[in-house]
């Protein structure tokens, strides 16, 4: 991990903070490698259940560091995309906690997360066209899937910024909170998720992700395959036993 990305644990949640406040947490190579390493830790550590991605000093991220780009640097991880996230999401749930701006690549990082908590005065946008670029780290692929297509097209072509209140109305933001409260709101949701069976949570995310790219019949077949693994797991037996015995379950994650 580098100073450009800070990690801390909050129970079974890993909080990943992009830490370049002097450039509004713009993503350069050090941020990309740091976030990628943190996501690897999230997936590999059995004691971790959920990740939260946020930015330091009251802003999420202004996107790709254009000065680094002009110097020939690409803030991507081969095969994994921008910040090691946009083309290869972690198996475990990832929540975006957004304060201030989430623009360009910053917005694309948000779109790669499973759940979004945002301060009421936050804003989102893919303004790449204003710089002669395109939102090529998932913005043009994911935004029309998250909000009405016509609205997504308008924002993509104009490069206009979307206030968090509007983003919440269109369904891009799951939960609106007061200014400065995005991280605490994200941690509340993370705690709810972490209380559930870890194998079931990972598989639920897997089914949702994979089904988007499969024909309906194939999606049902894949779900049956994954469901069989869950039904045969120790966690499934533990969950049923805990319900019958009126106690809290003790998950093994398998």
């Amino acid at each position: 991990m580098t100073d450009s990305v800070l990690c801390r644990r909050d129970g079974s949640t890993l909080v990943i903070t992009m830490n370049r406040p002097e450039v509004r947490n713009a993503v350069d190579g050090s941020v990309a490698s740091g976030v990628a390493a943190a996501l690897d830790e999230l997936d590999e550590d059995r004691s971790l259940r959920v990740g939260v991605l946020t930015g330091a000093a009251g802003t999420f991220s202004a996107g790709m560091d254009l000065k680094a780009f002009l110097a020939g640097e690409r803030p991507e991880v081969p095969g994994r995309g921008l910040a090691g996230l946009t083309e290869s999401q972690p198996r475990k749930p990832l929540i975006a906690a957004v304060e201030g701006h989430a623009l360009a690549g910053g917005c694309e990082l948000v779109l790669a997360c499973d759940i979004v908590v945002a301060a009421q005065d936050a804003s989102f946008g893919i303004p790449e066209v204003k710089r002669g670029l395109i939102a090529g780290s998932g913005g043009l692929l994911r935004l029309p899937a998250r909000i009405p297509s016509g609205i997504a097209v308008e924002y993509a072509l104009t490069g206009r910024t979307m206030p968090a209140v509007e983003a919440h109305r269109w369904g891009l933001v799951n939960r609106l909170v007061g200014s400065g409260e995005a991280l605490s709101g994200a941690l509340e949701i993370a705690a709810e998720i972490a209380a559930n069976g870890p194998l079931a949570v990972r598989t639920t995310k897997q089914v949702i992700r994979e089904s988007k790219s499969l024909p309906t019949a194939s999606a049902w077949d894949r779900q049956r395959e994954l469901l069989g693994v869950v039904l045969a797991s120790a966690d499934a037996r533990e969950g049923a036993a805990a319900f019958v015995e009126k106690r809290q379950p003790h998950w093994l994650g398998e």
Side-chain angles (χ1 to χ4, degrees), residues 22-64:
E22 70 282 2
V23 288
R24 296 194 301 166
N25 302 318
V27 181
D28 65 356
S30 65
V31 171
S33 61
V35 171
L39 296 177
D40 287 341
E41 180 182 353
L42 172 64
D43 269 345
E44 293 167 5
D45 190 326
R46 290 170 62 88
S47 69
L48 292 170
R49 306 285 180 81
V50 187
V52 172
L53 180 64
T54 192
T59 195
F60 187 80
S61 174
M64 180 174 67

Side-chain angles (χ1 to χ4, degrees), residues 197-237:
L199 175 61
V201 167
R202 292 196 306 272
T203 305
T204 295
K205 172 172 176 172
Q206 185 178 0
V207 170
I208 292 171
R209 290 280 186 180
E210 291 185 7
S211 64
K212 293 177 182 178
S213 60
L214 293 173
T216 300
S218 298
W220 278 98
D221 288 341
R222 180 59 172 153
Q223 180 178 262
R224 273 188 286 271
E225 178 184 348
L226 295 171
L227 175 60
V229 175
V230 172
L231 290 176
S233 70
D235 274 0
R237 293 191 295 275

Side-chain angles (χ1 to χ4, degrees), residues 26-131:
V27 181
D28 65 356
S30 65
V31 171
S33 61
V35 171
L39 296 177
D40 287 341
E41 180 182 353
L42 172 64
D43 269 345
E44 293 167 5
D45 190 326
R46 290 170 62 88
S47 69
L48 292 170
R49 306 285 180 81
V50 187
V52 172
L53 180 64
T54 192
T59 195
F60 187 80
S61 174
M64 180 174 67
D65 186 325
L66 294 180
K67 289 185 178 179
F69 169 74
L70 289 173
E73 186 175 315
R74 295 291 296 273
E76 299 173 344
V77 176
R80 297 176 58 166
L82 182 69
L85 171 60
T86 55
E87 294 179 37
S88 179
Q89 291 77 45
R91 296 189 305 276
K92 296 175 184 177
L94 185 62
I95 302 171
V98 182
E99 300 279 353
H101 299 299
L103 300 176
C107 185
E108 291 173 305
L109 294 178
V110 169
L111 289 167
C113 294
D114 301 296
I115 295 171
V116 181
V117 178
Q120 292 181 341
D121 55 356
S123 59
F124 303 82
I126 46 174
E128 281 87 344
V129 291
K130 292 179 177 289
R131 299 292 178 263

Side-chain angles (χ1 to χ4, degrees), residues 138-161:
L140 301 181
L141 303 177
R142 291 193 173 102
L143 191 60
R146 295 281 285 269
I147 69 175
S149 178
I151 303 300
V153 168
E154 178 182 348
Y155 275 94
L157 295 180
T158 63
R160 192 185 309 139
T161 299

